[in-house]
Amino acid sequence: MSQPPAQLKTAITPTRADDYPEWYQQVIKAADLAESSPVRGCMVIKPWGYALWENIQRALDKRFKDTGHVNAYFPLFIPMSFLEKEAAHVEGFAKECAVVTHSRLEAGPDGKLRPASPLEEPLIVRPTSETIIGEMYAKWVESYRDLPILINQWANVVRWEMRTRLFLRTTEFLWQEGHTAHATEAEAVEETRKMLGVYAEFAENHLAMPVIQGEKTAGERFPGAVNTYCIEAMMQDRKALQAGTSHFLGQNFSKAAGIKFLDKDGKQEHAWTTSWGVSTRLIGGVIMAHGDDDGLMLPPKLAPTHVVILPVLHKEETRAKVLEYCQKLRAELRAQRYDEQPIEVELDTRDLRGGDKVWQWVKKGVPLIVEVGPRDMDKDCVFWGRRDKGPKNRTSTPRAEFVATVGATLTDIQSSLLERAKTFRKENTRVLDSKDDIYSYFTAKNPEKPEIHGGFALAHWSGDSSVEDQLAKDLKVTIRCVPTATDGEFAPEPGTCPFTGKPSARRVVLGKSY
């Protein structure tokens, strides 16, 4: 394969070590995933980026349906009075709401358009759908026989963010939100934890992104929830990314919306509800968990294209034969299967320099890049490389052998990315028992231009919210979660809180975050 231009050591500048936030933006640009839109804080997701979201949708949707859920759709607009029914909810989202106050446009005296007709009640552009879905569930539920309701919707939401970053935090983003209603508290709690497990399994086995399952503290809880659970992943700048959440809402929203039912004894009860969601933020997580200084690196289970074939067409007299050979190779590869699906193969015949094409696909993160020229064809071989091994690690292999082993190769890439990420998290997680060690761990050595530092700290905490406030103020560190694991490195371990001297039942995960 061709190399980057001689004056550059990497395909992406700056590197992760030089300027991680800018590296992230440049990877998105180089991989042609998305770009900022004319609407402040919103993004245009381009075809390669949207293909990633489609694959996330497809894989998660199957998991949801396998656990008994069905899809529906609810309105984008929510009457303001609906949000007012649940006090904690409206307080939590009030500053992020986009509000529609008028309908119809008309020309003003200056000839410019202006809103014409005030609405009787302002409408909130959906920041999340608990309130309007609860309103509908109240109409649908009369008896315990109507429960449980297990519904998910794929939708867009709007939260008026002040500081935005593509995929990670935008004013409008795509997501799924599950909303369920149950006859008993135990069923709702089980649902909340089950869906968190679905997210964790998906993140690890599909995105090759290891996560910690845990519960949020009261200060980090979803507005109106009784308990919020999350999955937290470590990015390569050692910050945490909250990659998904699952909320046990108790009866708070059912009481606000009037979701009542007659139980088996004829007694009227309020339903127990849950909500849970992940978003296009997962794409940002994949970029930051696996990308390198040459661009995006995609886990094969997520990749829209598993193999790209680049025919070498320098000579007109061999052009037709090389193309015929590559088309046959593509057909043979597509006949193979990986992850119970046909292998996706792209034959790139664009009229571009070979080196340019190679680096475009490297930056897009395609797992396997294959080059075939007249010499390869004559030997019935392919010249190929794995994206996870770097551009210099490439080899020539007999075509039949490459085709026969391509599924196993993709499996190995998937597992190697997961193990690499697990190793990185382990190497950057510390067990800390003193306040001084915690402060030292999260303090940059160069405050003028902070280097990548810190990571996750496992520390005891007594539950005092003032400790959270102090950590956020002094270090911009939060308690990412209280792990729910019963064994392994995040298992319970009684101790003493280094901040208050009070007893602590188990360590919590401290970290800086997105």
Side-chain angles (χ1 to χ4, degrees):
M1 295 178 188
S2 304
Q3 299 300 309
Q7 68 271 23
L8 298 178
K9 294 182 179 180
T10 61
I12 303 296
T13 54
T15 64
R16 290 164 292 177
D18 289 339
D19 188 339
Y20 194 86
E22 183 60 25
W23 165 85
Y24 174 80
Q25 300 290 353
Q26 291 303 318
V27 170
I28 291 173
K29 181 179 180 180
D32 208 26
L33 296 175
E35 62 184 58
S36 296
S37 80
V39 181
R40 182 195 169 280
C42 295
M43 64 176 171
V44 174
I45 305 176
K46 301 178 82 171
W48 191 248
Y50 197 78
L52 299 182
W53 181 238
E54 286 180 311
N55 284 350
I56 288 171
Q57 280 184 297
R58 190 175 298 113
L60 276 175
D61 204 61
K62 183 179 186 304
R63 286 165 169 80
F64 297 158
K65 287 169 180 172
D66 286 348
T67 49
H69 300 83
V70 293
N71 288 332
Y73 187 79
F74 298 85
L76 174 67
F77 299 117
I78 301 173
M80 190 162 66
S81 59
F82 285 18
L83 266 73
E84 292 172 340
K85 292 179 181 179
E86 215 295 320
H89 194 64
V90 68
E91 183 180 353
F93 281 102
K95 294 180 181 179
E96 299 179 359
C97 286
V99 186
V100 179
T101 59
H102 289 71
S103 68
R104 199 166 62 82
L105 295 172
E106 65 180 10
D110 58 359
K112 293 183 179 180
L113 292 174
R114 65 183 184 184
S117 302
L119 300 179
E120 289 185 13
E121 179 181 358
L123 297 173
I124 308 302
V125 183
R126 174 175 54 214
T128 180
S129 298
E130 280 76 11
T131 56
I132 195 160
I133 289 178
E135 190 77 10
M136 300 311 299
Y137 284 7
K139 295 181 177 181
W140 300 346
V141 175
E142 294 181 356
S143 160
Y144 71 91
R145 296 183 180 88
D146 299 320
L147 297 170
I149 299 178
L150 307 175
I151 286 180
N152 172 68
Q153 79 164 343
W154 294 95
N156 61 337
V157 293
V158 170
R159 296 179 183 175
W160 213 257
E161 299 284 358
M162 298 304 294
R163 297 178 181 177
T164 59
R165 187 176 299 181
L166 296 176
F167 290 112
L168 297 178
R169 194 176 294 279
T170 50
T171 298
E172 179 193 20
F173 55 92
L174 305 180
W175 78 347
Q176 57 75 211
E177 48 180 324
H179 296 269
T180 69
H182 305 263
T184 68
E185 179 180 12
E187 283 182 23
V189 169
E190 180 186 3
E191 166 79 6
T192 307
R193 292 176 175 169
K194 177 199 297 180
M195 298 318 293
L196 187 76
V198 168
Y199 288 153
E201 182 276 330
F202 171 76
E204 298 211 349
N205 294 329
H206 204 87
L207 305 183
M209 187 167 67
V211 295
I212 303 169
Q213 297 185 56
E215 182 177 353
K216 287 293 188 184
T217 65
E220 295 285 324
R221 204 173 281 155
F222 178 74
V226 176
N227 302 101
T228 288
Y229 298 89
C230 62
I231 54 172
E232 297 283 336
M234 181 184 285
M235 304 294 96
Q236 290 182 78
D237 62 350
R238 305 177 199 163
K239 288 184 179 179
L241 182 78
Q242 181 178 289
T245 50
S246 186
H247 314 290
F248 170 57
L249 305 177
Q251 294 176 311
N252 294 345
F253 285 87
S254 65
K255 288 178 178 178
I259 310 174
K260 302 175 184 178
F261 67 97
L262 293 177
D263 66 14
K264 293 181 180 179
D265 299 322
K267 181 182 176 183
Q268 191 174 75
E269 297 282 359
H270 283 94
W272 300 81
T273 65
T274 80
S275 66
W276 29 273
V278 298
S279 73
T280 38
R281 166 175 273 226
L282 288 175
I283 296 174
V286 168
I287 295 167
M288 294 193 293
H290 302 306
D292 64 10
D293 294 335
D294 289 327
L296 187 61
M297 191 180 300
L298 292 175
K301 288 186 180 180
L302 178 64
T305 296
H306 298 116
V307 186
V308 62
I309 302 171
L310 307 177
V312 179
L313 305 172
H314 296 322
K315 298 179 180 179
E316 192 60 38
E317 59 269 26
T318 58
R319 179 183 179 90
K321 288 186 177 181
V322 170
L323 281 175
E324 182 182 357
Y325 185 91
C326 289
Q327 287 163 353
K328 181 181 178 182
L329 174 62
R330 177 177 60 177
E332 290 174 335
L333 289 169
R334 282 179 168 172
Q336 306 301 307
R337 296 183 71 81
Y338 166 69
D339 192 35
E340 301 180 356
Q341 301 290 330
I343 289 176
E344 297 293 338
V345 186
E346 177 91 13
L347 176 58
D348 188 348
T349 59
R350 292 175 299 162
D351 185 17
L352 293 174
R353 286 181 61 254
D356 291 341
K357 285 201 285 190
V358 167
W359 282 101
Q360 284 182 13
W361 289 107
V362 167
K363 288 182 279 191
K364 282 178 174 286
V366 172
L368 296 172
I369 300 177
V370 177
E371 292 181 275
V372 178
R375 293 180 183 178
D376 304 300
M377 182 183 63
D378 291 343
K379 294 185 294 183
D380 199 18
C381 289
V382 297
F383 192 59
W384 66 284
R386 290 170 46 151
R387 178 64 183 87
D388 64 322
K389 296 291 188 182
K392 293 183 179 179
N393 194 311
R394 51 216 167 90
T395 189
S396 180
T397 300
R399 175 189 52 78
E401 180 184 336
F402 178 77
V403 170
T405 59
V406 66
T409 302
L410 292 169
T411 298
D412 189 63
I413 294 172
Q414 183 79 27
S415 61
S416 73
L417 289 178
L418 177 60
E419 290 308 312
R420 183 186 297 178
K422 283 182 175 179
T423 299
F424 181 83
R425 186 183 71 184
K426 187 172 184 179
E427 289 174 346
N428 292 284
T429 300
R430 302 282 185 274
V431 175
L432 301 177
D433 290 312
S434 76
K435 179 178 177 180
D436 287 346
D437 286 345
I438 291 169
Y439 270 64
S440 174
Y441 185 57
F442 287 113
T443 301
K445 295 177 181 178
N446 181 5
E448 299 299 320
K449 187 182 178 183
E451 72 284 358
I452 292 177
H453 64 282
F456 287 172
L458 302 180
H460 283 289
W461 176 59
S462 60
D464 191 331
S465 62
S466 66
V467 172
E468 292 182 274
D469 296 339
Q470 198 64 46
L471 286 171
K473 178 183 176 182
D474 294 347
L475 302 171
K476 296 182 180 178
V477 164
T478 54
I479 296 174
R480 300 314 307 153
C481 68
V482 182
T484 53
T486 57
D487 56 16
E489 62 181 315
F490 303 109
E493 174 202 341
T496 302
C497 175
F499 303 99
T500 64
K502 297 177 182 178
S504 163
R506 66 185 304 158
R507 294 181 185 272
V508 299
V509 179
L510 301 178
K512 298 184 179 181
S513 69
Y514 284 93

